[in-house]
Amino acid sequence: MDESKWVNLDADEEDDEYTILSATKDTILFCIDASSSMHHVKPIQDPGTGKQKKKRKKNKSHFHQALQSALDIMKRKVIISPNDSVGILLFNTDEKKGPEVTANNYLLQPVSQLNADLILRMMEILDEAGSDSTILENKFKPKSGLSAPIGEVFASCNHVLRTGAPKTAIKRIFYITDEDNPGSLEGPAVKRLEDLAAQGIALIPFFISTEDRPFDISRFYADVLSGGAEEDEISPFSDVCEGFDQVIAEMKIREMPKRSVWSIPLNIADNFVIGVKGYGLVTEQRKPNYRWMYTQGETGAEVAPRTVYFDEEQQTETSKSEILYGIDMGVVRSEGSDNEDNAMEEDVKPKSTELSNLATEPSRKVLFTADQVKSFRTLELSPGIKLLGFKHRSELQFEDNVKHAYFIYPDEKAYVGSTRTFAALLGTCLDKDRIGIALVTMRKNSSPAFCREIGRQRTQLDPPGFHLIPLPFADEIREPPLTEAARCSTDLTDAATELIKKMTLKTGYQPDAFPNPSLALHYAFVEANALGLAFEPENIVDHTLPNYDVIHDRAGPAIQAWKEQLDNEREANDTDEGPDEAEIRARFEEGEDQLRKYIKFVKWVKKLSTH
């Protein structure tokens, strides 16, 4: 067989573990308050005199910023996920627009799939307003008197989404207002909100609080959003954004829906199965795959790709079923005669498609079919989580966390009663301080792994569920070569502790607040090219760069104290160079026959899965 049909076994990668479970579309409806308070522009004061400036070039109303935020999200989505839909509904307007909405509601943009025309139209509206937000106030004149009934606003949102959003899409409403007491009846609002929930529509409120207009959620929205629950049950809705800058930051975090990466059964015992969904807590954001386009015609068309396997020796197209996967085993054979090489080539040729008992000598390439490779990888186990037992929480060691954890949550659609059973299992583990040990196969083409399940119970902002931690195999844990380590003094430890306190973010690290500057530059170029705009790379802000001024102001003395204490340490300069490259390479190449160990492991897991 021609070696061109050999494929390195290690080069055949598994399915991407971060691949989204399904291509579910996302739909966002911006529901923006257009009342007089949202159009109000706070004058900028002169920092020297404290007097108000006459010109208001940079200051914009909350309504203007809300439309600008919607436009920014539309720009990002049309590049990252162009199949998503966005709509804009204004309420508390004097004029009614749209057949699906009630009085004092203005459907600025129906829910529809994103395209360049919609974005350019929104850009024209905001460009026309410029720095003078009174243009928007005149264009979308606020309603005089009492606010529009919130129940009717929710009903309009429901009608707009049912008309324009795909049935299988994730539907969300971004509700933006600065009025904490709209004067509406709570009963109809609660009923309409329940109707939204029944349709699978989530309401995400953004309440704006300023010094001039502090937002008190307890006056109206606490009871509405909690459905009349007690005060201790409304904590998920108690967050209020201090100014519109925080609203924009929260939108950037929430604009992408949390999609599951897999949905598999959880086998608690024999004939006792529930459904769960897994979510990736940490995912690397990458540039989307490029697409080939045919541009010779009147309109561009996407080229449909087709993969073809070609036999270089026979100069013919080869079926994928004829591809064999091989790895080199044993030591490298020294160069021999041409006859010996020809004999080796003949020995490697399979006499049949059954290669399970293929015997080879050292330095020969061991060949496997695609089905055999899949069997090795999956151990012939179906996707699922099999609960093996429980251990005390203290059994989980720090070094067991070699990969990022997954978060599992019940899937009521897969098995009725999954939520109740899942909640009972989680509550029992928390009460008894236990963690679960499970054998997990996440996908059809993925390798199984042993995992530990750790429960976490909080409010619905942090959903109650299990964290699935993949455990390392024995060969993944190595003893450190050092038997003794240098120990610093207590003074140096105290100085380092104080430095860490000064450098720690009070609100914790939020990855969504620090976008990748390389991706931002890429998307800005694609956006400018698609919309026919000038590309301005200087407008890309790198939020990952350290803020040195703030660091020096906050931790400057602590850094200097730690540095001075480090210079006084005796063992600071007594460092070990460690092993050289030759020693590391020799240790890497040591070991027994990995294939024999793997087959032994396969038999053991198969035996375990049958019991």
Side-chain angles (χ1 to χ4, degrees), residues 186-201:
E186 296 178 1
V190 172
K191 176 60 178 175
R192 297 300 185 184
L193 194 59
E194 291 176 352
D195 294 340
L196 290 174
Q199 297 291 331
I201 303 172

Side-chain angles (χ1 to χ4, degrees), residues 397-410:
Q397 304 297 322
F398 175 79
E399 56 268 20
D400 290 338
N401 292 270
V402 294
K403 296 181 180 179
H404 72 81
Y406 289 90
F407 187 79
I408 59 175
Y409 200 68

Side-chain angles (χ1 to χ4, degrees), residues 216-243:
D216 185 3
I217 194 173
S218 62
R219 298 185 65 183
F220 177 78
Y221 285 101
D223 291 336
V224 171
L225 297 178
S226 61
E230 298 297 330
E231 185 175 357
D232 58 351
E233 300 179 7
I234 62 174
S235 57
F237 312 106
S238 61
D239 292 337
V240 176
C241 299
E242 297 293 337

Side-chain angles (χ1 to χ4, degrees), residues 86 114 132 179 209 237 289 342 383 424 427 489 500 508 512 536 559 561:
V86 174
L114 293 170
D132 190 359
E179 178 58 61
S209 180
F237 312 106
N289 296 330
N342 294 334
S489 63
I500 293 174
D512 294 326
E536 299 177 352
I559 294 175

Side-chain angles (χ1 to χ4, degrees), residues 237-286:
F237 312 106
S238 61
D239 292 337
V240 176
C241 299
E242 297 293 337
F244 209 88
D245 291 341
Q246 188 176 351
V247 172
I248 296 175
E250 289 291 329
M251 279 189 184
K252 290 181 179 179
I253 294 174
R254 297 174 180 268
E255 68 177 89
M256 297 304 295
K258 304 299 184 289
R259 294 184 172 100
S260 60
V261 294
W262 36 259
S263 179
I264 55 179
L266 170 58
N267 297 273
I268 300 177
D270 293 339
N271 299 322
F272 189 11
V273 182
I274 64 174
V276 295
K277 286 187 176 182
Y279 297 84
L281 301 180
V282 179
T283 304
E284 178 186 359
Q285 187 177 5
R286 304 168 182 170

Side-chain angles (χ1 to χ4, degrees), residues 329-331 475 478 583-598:
M329 301 298 298
V331 298
D475 58 350
R478 299 178 178 86
E583 182 179 355
I584 295 176
R585 188 175 297 276
R587 292 187 181 184
F588 176 76
E589 294 176 353
E590 289 178 357
E592 298 178 0
D593 188 343
Q594 296 297 325
L595 182 61
R596 187 182 301 110
K597 292 171 62 178
Y598 193 80

Side-chain angles (χ1 to χ4, degrees), residues 65-252:
Q65 295 180 75
L67 292 181
Q68 184 65 51
S69 300
L71 175 61
D72 293 340
I73 289 180
M74 291 168 63
K75 287 181 178 180
R76 285 191 291 269
K77 277 187 169 293
V78 77
I79 302 298
I80 301 175
S81 50
N83 293 327
D84 293 347
S85 302
V86 174
I88 301 177
L89 174 67
L90 312 179
F91 66 97
N92 282 329
T93 57
D94 186 63
E95 180 185 357
K96 172 186 176 296
K97 181 181 178 181
E100 307 95 342
V101 301
T102 57
N104 305 118
N105 289 270
Y106 191 102
L107 186 59
L108 178 60
Q109 177 177 303
V111 173
S112 59
Q113 186 174 340
L114 293 170
N115 55 61
D117 293 337
L118 291 177
I119 295 176
L120 291 174
R121 178 173 173 271
M122 280 296 301
M123 292 177 62
E124 290 177 358
I125 294 175
L126 294 177
D127 289 342
E128 181 184 356
S131 59
D132 190 359
S133 294
T134 57
I135 296 178
L136 292 177
E137 187 174 2
N138 295 329
K139 187 178 183 65
F140 309 106
K141 188 176 180 180
K143 176 182 180 298
S144 59
L146 297 177
S147 301
I150 301 302
E152 296 300 321
V153 175
F154 291 162
S156 297
C157 293
N158 195 352
H159 294 155
V160 171
L161 286 171
R162 283 192 299 177
T163 302
K167 294 183 179 180
T168 59
I170 299 174
K171 307 178 186 69
R172 296 178 297 165
I173 300 173
F174 282 9
Y175 184 81
I176 306 172
T177 184
D178 63 352
E179 178 58 61
D180 57 2
N181 188 18
S184 302
L185 297 177
E186 296 178 1
V190 172
K191 176 60 178 175
R192 297 300 185 184
L193 194 59
E194 291 176 352
D195 294 340
L196 290 174
Q199 297 291 331
I201 303 172
L203 179 73
I204 303 177
F206 297 94
F207 300 134
I208 309 170
S209 180
T210 61
E211 295 180 358
D212 300 336
R213 292 178 59 86
F215 196 99
D216 185 3
I217 194 173
S218 62
R219 298 185 65 183
F220 177 78
Y221 285 101
D223 291 336
V224 171
L225 297 178
S226 61
E230 298 297 330
E231 185 175 357
D232 58 351
E233 300 179 7
I234 62 174
S235 57
F237 312 106
S238 61
D239 292 337
V240 176
C241 299
E242 297 293 337
F244 209 88
D245 291 341
Q246 188 176 351
V247 172
I248 296 175
E250 289 291 329
M251 279 189 184
K252 290 181 179 179

Side-chain angles (χ1 to χ4, degrees), residues 37 93 172 188-189 219 261 279 312 348 351 358 513 529 554:
S37 60
T93 57
R172 296 178 297 165
R219 298 185 65 183
V261 294
Y279 297 84
E312 294 182 356
V348 173
K351 296 181 180 180
L358 181 63
N529 188 41
R554 182 185 302 172

